Every structure is written in structure tokens, then in C-alpha cells.
Amino acid sequence: MANVAKKVSWSGRDDDDDDDERAGETTPLLNGTGPGAASGARQLTPSSFLRIGQLSNVDLNEDIRELETELPRQHPNEIPHNEKLLSLKYESLDYDNSENQLFLEEERRINHTAFRTVEIKRWVICAMIGILTGLVACFIDIVVENLAGLKYRVVKDNIDKFTEKGGLSFSLLLWATLNASVVMVGSMIVAFIEPVAAGSGIPQIKCYLNGVKIPHVVRLKTLVIKVCGVILSVVGGLAVGKEGPMIHSGAVIAAGISQGRSTSLKRDFKIFEYFRRDTEKRDFVSAGAAAGVSAAFGAPVGGVLFSLEEGASFWNQFLTWRIFFASMISTFTLNSVLSVYHGNAWDLSSPGLINFGRFDNEKMGYTIQEIPIFIFMGVVGGILGALFNALNYWLTMFRIRYIHRPCLQVLEAMLVAAVTATVGFVMIYCSRDCQPIQGSTVAYPLQLFCADGEYNSMATAFFNTPEKSVVNLFHDPPGSYNPMTLGMFTLMYFFLACWTYGLTVSAGVFIPSLLIGAAWGRLFGISLSYMTKGSIWADPGKYALMGAAAQLGGIVRMTLSLTVIMMEATGNVTYGFPIMLVLMTAKIVGDYFVEGLYDMHIQLQSVPFLHWEAPVTSHSLTAREVMSAPVTCLRRIERVGTVVDILSDTSSNHNGFPVVESNPDATQVAGLRGLILRSQLIVLLKHKVFVERANLSLVQRRLKLKDFRDAYPRFPPIQSIHVSQDERECMIDLSEFMNPSPYTVPQEASLPRVFKLFRALGLRHLVVVDNRNEVVGMVTRKDLARYRLGKEGLEELSLAQT
């Protein structure tokens, strides 16, 4: 592969700020598993600390970047970016609670009433998540409807005018210019202000819920750019939908509300302080993602299942209820507001941003003979989905290599918008598929060269928002579309949607996938009707639905949640079985060729994503072979200067430090006593929690968990904390703050066993010990994620700074 930009963000942005955020992350994580690593761990002296591994880097506070840029650091050599790399720039979240003395004392002080209050707060937060997500969805829908309607009316009037007088080239220029101008604004705010708002946001939220810290992903600024960006993308006529970004929007809303403060607005409401930790935040983000799905499709059960299948790595029964509650509130809020907006306040008829309409008339039923036909459509959907993903893969690699600067990204988005308008106009112009207007539900019928009382059928697909085009393909009566019209539209829209996904704009792939599938599914139904001489069961609308499910399943590879979402969106349970068969077939066929679109983009960004199970052929590997060694250990009572030096060492950005006993006798084994995090050490140094001499009784300042929560989630970097020369000689007692019962594994444990423990418990650090409880290594997320099953068996990915 050709060399590419050193820094690869979700939008491919190449920016010097990324260097500042990752000061010192220049040393790849190496697998030091020789005999020296084990023997080195046994030579702990009272005056030294143990170096036991190159562990992961620290995510430094962006507010104090200036301090970091002054530090000397070595830049890595430029590396070729490909799917065989694992990036060192991504950190893990601390999902495992540190059960130190402070935590246990607080939990013991909380009585039954206080626990009930905390539980009530959780339900209140979930209700607020549902309400706000529903309101954001309403805002997006209403603004898109009005702005897109204005654009289509202007262009339609212009086309009608110039059809009579001649000079339709001006109409084409107007349409392309309007699209490009709107998309330019939407792309600029993403590229220059918040690149992580690009795309649907589903891969980023999947990574977050998997335990990976994606910078800026749940910030308020990201939400604002996401909402504005998706409105401009849809109004700009791109082959995108507004439903996918709702999942990201819901997650950001959940993260903000659950913390009771905003770092962007510099506001702290002191209301939900108890939930300021990764464990609680993760659960609420799961609820936010589910509420986003629910608002998008009017599918509260589908939202819960989406969060379970695609999002949350860790689950419990109480969480299911709360997430379902948030989803229901989200749907109800959206339904109520949109029903009032559309003038039927008492008839709750707008459950989601897209409603497929009811499939309940006699012609839409299916028979047992059609099951093999549906399975065949699933095969077609899987093949077309795999082709879509493969083309998008190579296009994304091209973007990473050559279009990584914001100005180029904006130009590409404008080009795609202009090309989309041009393709639509040319296809409408060349089409002679005229249909009678009477009884039609077309919002903006273009007559063009059709006779009076008729409209151009191709215009219903291109000259409309994608959501309305999908519903038209589902429900327009037989004969509404010429087969040539559907075939040409499917071909062109397929390539336009593939080109559009990955642009630096906020947009989703759900609706374009449904639209492509509905078009070729309806074409399939028309063909079947011709072959069976107009049999009653060959209604094209039913096959449009199955084609939409097959195409979407072939691209994103969701099964359980997508089945329920489609069922809820159609309002017909009887379609559950064929939709399930179609989605399962599409996933099986698609997986044979290439990964799903979201997983593929996660892999292209070299994220250390942990799947549900370890690679099936990995039992021969043990913890000794996969761990990082040597590791930096701290003594239970450590000199402040030593702690500062360790934290300041830019060549070894450790985030977790095993704590060993402070033995005066160097011949004794320094057994493991606990684990302490970098963030905890920084808070201790910031509050000067140390004493002058090691033999003094504890007179150091008492900290509370509130002090740690106040610093969460952006802990200050060590460079911002001043420690005088006298203070460097003081001692710091870590006993009260370390986790005295960290999870450990023996060095002989197999990789699948280590993986299952790490993944199921949501760990960030897993200490590897020998038979004398001596620390010999540490397993982190990157140590496990680098092993995966390739086409030629088990393969080990390279670790590098990308």
C-alpha cells in the first residue's frame, strides 16, 4: 500500500492538533515475552520501581495542550496505513469500578433510602434522554421538510418555466448550485469544527460502548454540528438519510444529561455527581443510542435490540427496562410533537422519522411458495451489499491517502452534491416514463415532456427526499413505474450512495440502502408478475419491502434488531418471518465475501475493537505470550518524585500501575497488592496528598470520591501540575486509593480464557502474575485486539501510531 497521512481520524482529517493530544505516544507496544521479562520482575529493590511494559498512552486534556507542545518528543516514521495495523492512539474506558477504601466507605454510608434515590435518578435521566432525543428528531424533521420543500418548489417552478421556453440547462445549473452550496456549508462545519461528527456516528458509538475512548465523540459541540450537518446534507440532495445520525445524537444527549454538566459550556449543575464514572456513563449512552433508533424508525423494541446487538458490550436485566423506557418516551415525544405540527393532535400518527406505512391489505399477503423467492432475494441483497462494501472500502482507502485535508474534503462533498443533482436531472430528462397524476401521492410532480395530466415517474425517485421515495416505492400501485426506470435508478443510486458514504458530512446509510433495495425489489416483483401473468401474489410493493431489507442487511449485517425495526416500521407482524429469513441470508452471503460496513470502517481506523469471542484457533497462545512486559510498578508507599518521573516519561505512557509491597528486605518477593490508575495519581498530586517522611503517621489530607469525580472525564496532564523539589522528597501512601483486588490471571492461562475474562468484565488492565503472586506482565485491550482470524488462520496485527 502506498504511504498515507500519519494521522487518520474518523474523517481522515490531518491536523496538527492531533499531535498535541497525543504527546509522547511514539513508542509502539511491543511483545516482550522473553525469559528476561519474567526474571526482571523478581528484582525489585526498595529504592527502585519495576519496569514491566510499554502500555497504552494517556488521553491528555485538550484545554492545556500548550504545555504539551513544548515538550521534546520523537515523531514516528511515516507508516503505510492498512487493515493490518492497530492504532496506539485509542484509549480504553475504565468500566471496572475501582473498589478502593474511599469507594467502599461511601457505599457503606449510603443507606437503603439513598440507594432508592439513586435508582429514581436513573429513571429520571432515562426519561430526559427520551424526551430530548425525540425533540431533536422533531427539529431535524421539521427543518428538513421545510428547507427541502422550498428547494424543490424553486427548482420545479424553474423547470416548468424553461420546459416551455427552452433553456433547461439553466435549471440544471440552478439545481446543482443549490445542492453544492448547501452541502458546502454542511461539510465545512464538520471538516473545520468537529470532524468526528462526520458519517452516521454508529461505528464511533459501537466503539465507545465496546470500551474504546474516541476523542470528542460525546461532546455537546459534536451534537450541534451533527444536527446542523445532517439537515444540510439531506437538504443538499445527497444520497443520505437522517435516521443513522439520530443514534449518535441520542448517545451524546445521554452522555451530557447523565453527567449533569457540560465542559463545552463550562457549566456544572452538581445534580448527577454520583454517575460521573465510565461505568454509569456507558449504560446511559446505551439508552441514548436506543432512543435514537426509536425516534428514527418508531421502533422502541428495535431500539433496545439494536443497543444490545450492535452497541452495548455489557448488559443486565435492569438496564433493559431503563433502555426500553427511554425508547418508548423518545417515540412518544416525537409522535406527539409531529402530530401537533401536522394538525392532528389527538391522532398519534407519526411514530418515527420514517414510517413505511401499513402493509395490511390482501394483495400484500404472502404464501408458502414465496419463501424460496424471499431467500433468493436475500442472496441477491448479500451479494450487492458485499459489492457496495468492497467499493466503499477502496474509496475510503483512497480518501485516507489523498483527501485528508479539510479543504479537499469540502471540495469532494461539493462535487458529489453537484454530480448527484446532474445525474438526477439527466435521468429525469431522458426518461419517457409518464404516469397519470390523478390518484398519485407525489409531492412535487414534474411534468417535463409528459402530456397534460401526467408526471415524470423518474422524478418521484430523484426529485424528493429519500424517505418519501422509499414509501412511494412500497405503496404506489402496480404500473406506477416502468421497469427501465427502476433499473436505471437502482444502478445510478447504488454508485451515488457508495460514493457518498464516507464524505466529510453528517449522514446515514440506512435510508439510501433501503431505497436501493426497494427499487430493485420492486423491479423484481414486476418481473415476477410478468412471468406469472399477473398473479395476485406478485404485488411489487411486497417485494420492494423484501428488497429493502435484503439490501440493508447485506450492507450493515444486522439481523435481530433490524428484523424488529422493519416489523415495527411496517406495523405488520406477519412479515416478521420472511424479513428474518431475508436478513439472515443476506448476512451469511455477505459475510462470505467481506465484513459489514460499520465493522469495515472500524477496522480501517485501526481501532482495538474486541468482538464477542476470541479467535477460534487461539487456544495455543497463553497469557505469557500475549501480555506486555515489562510493566512499571509502584510501591505501596512511594516517593513523590518517582511518581512524577514515571507519569512524565513520554516514552512509556502507562495508564495503570500495579502496586507492590514496600519490603525493606530486597530478598523478599514483592507481591502484588493492588492497582492504581494514572488519573488517580494525577488527582493525588494535584491535591498534594503526601507526607514528609515515610515513617510519619497518616496526616495527609483526606480526599473523597467527589474530588475524583470533579476531575472526570478530562483529567489534567502531569505537565500542568507543579511539584517543588522539596515535595519530590515526600512520600505518598497509595493504600487508600489503589484497587486492592484487581483481576489477575496466571501466566499459563490460555488466550480465550483471558479474552473472556477481559471482555465480559469490561476491564482495562488485567495483571499477569506467576505462582508467587509476582507481577510478570499486563494484558490490555491492544494486546488482545491484535490477534484475529484471517484468511490464512490466526494473524497478529502490527501496533503503530497511525
Side-chain angles (χ1 to χ4, degrees):
M1 296 262 229
N3 279 359
V4 298
K6 286 180 247 183
K7 301 174 288 298
V8 182
S9 69
W10 285 97
S11 62
R13 176 177 176 181
D14 184 7
D15 197 312
D16 293 335
D17 288 351
D18 292 344
D19 283 328
D20 300 339
E21 286 181 35
R22 301 192 298 272
E25 300 175 19
T26 55
T27 309
L29 203 102
L30 301 177
N31 193 12
T33 53
S39 62
R42 299 187 180 96
Q43 298 172 0
L44 183 70
T45 63
S47 60
S48 68
F49 58 87
L50 212 56
R51 295 299 300 273
I52 321 187
Q54 294 293 333
L55 292 188
S56 42
N57 53 291
V58 64
D59 185 19
L60 300 179
N61 189 339
E62 292 107 349
D63 294 340
I64 322 179
R65 289 182 192 162
E66 292 78 10
L67 292 166
E68 303 164 46
T69 56
E70 297 169 3
L71 297 173
R73 61 179 184 272
Q74 176 189 354
H75 285 274
N77 293 326
E78 189 168 313
I79 56 162
H81 179 83
N82 58 43
E83 71 277 12
K84 303 293 184 185
L85 291 178
L86 207 60
S87 177
L88 287 172
K89 72 179 179 182
Y90 294 108
E91 277 310 311
S92 293
L93 296 164
D94 292 303
Y95 281 174
D96 183 39
N97 282 325
S98 177
E99 293 193 347
N100 53 25
Q101 289 182 30
L102 297 181
F103 177 83
L104 294 175
E105 285 172 10
E106 182 186 80
E107 292 296 306
R108 291 188 191 111
R109 281 197 303 270
I110 297 178
N111 56 26
H112 181 67
T113 307
F115 272 118
R116 290 284 297 275
T117 305
V118 168
E119 190 61 23
I120 291 170
K121 282 183 179 179
R122 287 195 178 100
W123 286 91
V124 169
I125 291 171
C126 287
M128 292 170 67
I129 289 168
I131 292 169
L132 283 178
T133 304
L135 290 175
V136 167
C138 290
F139 174 76
I140 291 173
D141 189 60
I142 292 169
V143 174
V144 165
E145 184 180 328
N146 284 283
L147 290 181
L150 177 64
K151 184 191 82 170
Y152 287 128
R153 281 194 298 274
V154 169
V155 177
K156 179 182 182 303
D157 292 345
N158 193 272
I159 290 176
D160 291 343
K161 173 183 165 186
F162 282 100
T163 303
E164 299 171 7
K165 296 166 55 178
L168 276 171
S169 55
F170 181 78
S171 301
L172 167 60
L173 188 63
L174 174 68
W175 192 0
T177 304
L178 281 174
N179 276 15
S181 303
V182 173
V183 169
M184 179 185 72
V185 179
S187 182
M188 284 177 67
I189 60 175
V190 172
F192 289 98
I193 300 176
E194 196 55 271
V196 81
S200 66
I202 296 175
Q204 292 94 316
I205 295 303
K206 278 186 70 170
C207 291
Y208 183 89
L209 294 174
N210 189 260
V212 182
K213 185 186 295 181
I214 307 293
H216 305 185
V217 74
V218 287
R219 295 267 185 90
L220 177 62
K221 185 168 71 170
T222 305
L223 174 65
V224 174
I225 300 300
K226 194 88 183 180
V227 169
C228 297
V230 75
I231 289 171
L232 294 167
S233 300
V234 177
V235 172
L238 291 175
V240 298
K242 57 183 181 285
E243 281 66 23
M246 277 309 306
I247 297 164
H248 190 180
S249 301
V252 179
I253 290 168
I257 291 175
S258 64
Q259 302 305 291
R261 69 177 174 192
S262 169
T263 49
S264 301
L265 299 177
K266 303 290 189 292
R267 291 278 186 166
D268 189 346
F269 299 102
K270 306 284 185 187
I271 184 171
F272 298 131
E273 286 182 306
Y274 182 81
F275 304 119
R276 288 177 187 173
R277 53 176 185 255
D278 287 338
T279 317
E280 297 284 352
K281 195 173 179 180
R282 170 205 69 209
D283 290 348
F284 290 120
V285 169
S286 300
V293 174
S294 182
F297 296 97
V301 178
V304 176
L305 294 175
F306 174 86
S307 201
L308 173 61
E309 181 184 10
E310 289 292 308
S313 304
F314 321 103
W315 202 262
N316 63 56
Q317 189 176 4
F318 297 113
L319 184 60
T320 310
W321 264 112
R322 289 200 298 272
I323 289 180
F324 183 60
F325 178 68
S327 296
M328 273 295 187
I329 294 290
S330 175
T331 298
F332 182 76
T333 302
L334 178 84
N335 206 337
S336 304
V337 175
L338 286 186
S339 296
V340 171
Y341 175 74
H342 293 307
N344 46 355
W346 303 109
D347 179 20
L348 299 177
S349 55
S350 303
L353 293 183
I354 180 169
N355 184 8
F356 294 160
R358 293 200 169 272
F359 288 75
D360 53 8
N361 59 43
E362 291 180 6
K363 285 189 177 183
M364 301 300 270
Y366 66 95
T367 62
I368 196 75
Q369 296 98 317
E370 292 177 271
I371 298 297
I373 298 174
F374 295 149
I375 293 175
F376 174 74
M377 292 183 75
V379 173
V380 174
I383 292 170
L384 289 177
L387 176 63
F388 184 99
N389 293 358
L391 291 173
N392 191 260
Y393 170 86
W394 293 112
L395 182 60
T396 305
M397 287 303 300
F398 177 83
R399 283 180 175 133
I400 289 171
R401 235 178 264 145
Y402 302 113
I403 313 179
H404 49 262
R405 298 200 176 278
C407 53
L408 294 176
Q409 293 166 349
V410 173
L411 287 174
E412 187 198 12
M414 292 173 64
L415 174 65
V416 175
V419 169
T420 303
T422 305
V423 168
F425 185 88
V426 170
M427 290 187 68
I428 292 169
Y429 183 83
C430 296
S431 173
R432 293 293 179 267
D433 184 7
C434 297
Q435 302 292 339
I437 289 179
Q438 191 173 9
S440 163
T441 58
V442 182
Y444 309 103
L446 272 183
Q447 183 178 352
L448 215 60
F449 301 118
C450 294
D452 289 342
E454 292 184 335
Y455 69 94
N456 188 303
S457 183
M458 180 68 84
T460 61
F462 268 112
F463 203 69
N464 214 336
T465 56
E467 289 85 356
K468 289 179 180 171
S469 299
V470 170
V471 177
N472 288 341
L473 287 168
F474 284 164
H475 293 290
D476 281 353
S480 299
Y481 298 91
N482 187 300
M484 181 61 72
T485 299
L486 290 173
M488 289 300 296
F489 173 78
T490 301
L491 182 67
M492 298 309 300
Y493 207 81
F494 182 91
F495 290 107
L496 285 174
C498 187
W499 189 11
T500 305
Y501 189 80
L503 289 177
T504 311
V505 294
S506 298
V509 77
F510 268 88
I511 299 302
S513 305
L514 289 172
L515 185 51
I516 295 164
W520 69 254
R522 191 174 180 96
L523 177 62
F524 187 86
I526 293 171
S527 307
L528 207 59
S529 181
Y530 284 156
M531 291 181 349
T532 57
K533 308 229 176 357
S535 172
I536 193 169
W537 51 266
D539 185 85
K542 169 176 51 181
Y543 291 97
L545 176 66
M546 294 304 157
Q551 185 67 52
L552 183 53
I555 290 175
V556 301
R557 308 290 160 75
M558 288 155 46
T559 50
L560 175 65
S561 56
L562 197 52
T563 302
V564 177
I565 287 170
M566 297 289 283
M567 280 170 51
E568 289 184 282
T570 55
N572 196 330
V573 177
T574 58
Y575 279 107
F577 182 66
I579 288 173
M580 182 192 73
L581 284 179
V582 165
L583 289 172
M584 285 178 61
T585 308
K587 177 176 169 57
I588 292 167
V589 173
D591 283 343
Y592 181 78
F593 296 104
V594 70
E595 284 187 300
L597 188 66
Y598 299 142
D599 291 328
M600 189 183 76
H601 276 263
I602 289 171
Q603 189 174 301
L604 275 173
Q605 296 299 329
S606 305
V607 178
F609 188 89
L610 296 181
H611 294 280
W612 290 103
E613 298 287 344
V616 291
T617 59
S618 59
H619 276 86
S620 58
L621 292 172
T622 63
R624 184 194 295 110
E625 294 169 281
V626 303
M627 70 185 184
S628 293
V631 176
T632 301
C633 287
L634 295 170
R635 296 174 298 176
R636 195 171 55 79
I637 298 177
E638 187 61 270
R639 197 172 67 89
V640 171
T642 303
V643 175
V644 172
D645 291 341
I646 291 172
L647 296 181
S648 304
D649 184 2
T650 57
S651 67
S652 59
N653 288 295
H654 301 250
N655 275 310
F657 303 91
V659 180
V660 296
E661 191 53 73
S662 314
N663 287 325
D665 184 0
T667 61
Q668 289 187 352
V669 174
L672 177 67
R673 293 294 176 265
L675 181 77
I676 194 160
L677 301 176
R678 170 183 286 265
S679 56
Q680 293 173 308
L681 290 172
I682 283 177
V683 173
L684 297 182
L685 292 175
K686 181 181 176 182
H687 289 279
K688 312 287 186 187
V689 184
F690 33 77
V691 292
E692 290 184 10
R693 295 191 304 278
N695 58 359
L696 281 179
S697 59
L698 268 181
V699 292
Q700 55 191 17
R701 182 191 161 193
R702 286 281 296 177
L703 282 188
K704 296 181 179 178
L705 277 183
K706 182 182 181 302
D707 296 303
F708 293 91
R709 287 171 183 157
D710 284 344
Y712 176 85
R714 290 192 244 174
F715 297 96
I718 185 63
Q719 291 83 9
S720 68
I721 296 171
H722 175 70
V723 178
S724 67
Q725 196 59 42
D726 291 339
E727 289 173 334
R728 286 179 61 88
E729 301 305 318
C730 294
M731 306 301 290
I732 184 168
D733 191 339
L734 305 178
S735 307
E736 191 179 4
F737 311 104
M738 70 181 186
N739 182 2
S741 53
Y743 290 102
T744 62
V745 288
Q747 53 188 347
E748 292 79 21
S750 67
L751 174 58
R753 193 171 186 82
V754 173
F755 189 99
K756 188 176 293 185
L757 181 66
F758 196 96
R759 178 75 164 74
L761 297 173
L763 303 182
R764 186 176 186 181
H765 304 99
L766 184 58
V767 184
V768 182
V769 296
D770 61 11
N771 54 8
R772 297 193 293 174
N773 197 36
E774 213 182 321
V775 179
V776 294
M778 183 92 85
V779 175
T780 63
R781 169 178 292 273
K782 297 180 184 74
D783 296 319
L784 297 175
R786 64 184 176 177
Y787 292 97
R788 76 173 186 200
L789 197 61
K791 293 181 179 177
E792 299 175 1
L794 192 67
E795 59 185 19
E796 183 177 350
L797 306 184
S798 303
L799 290 155
Q801 186 64 55
T802 61

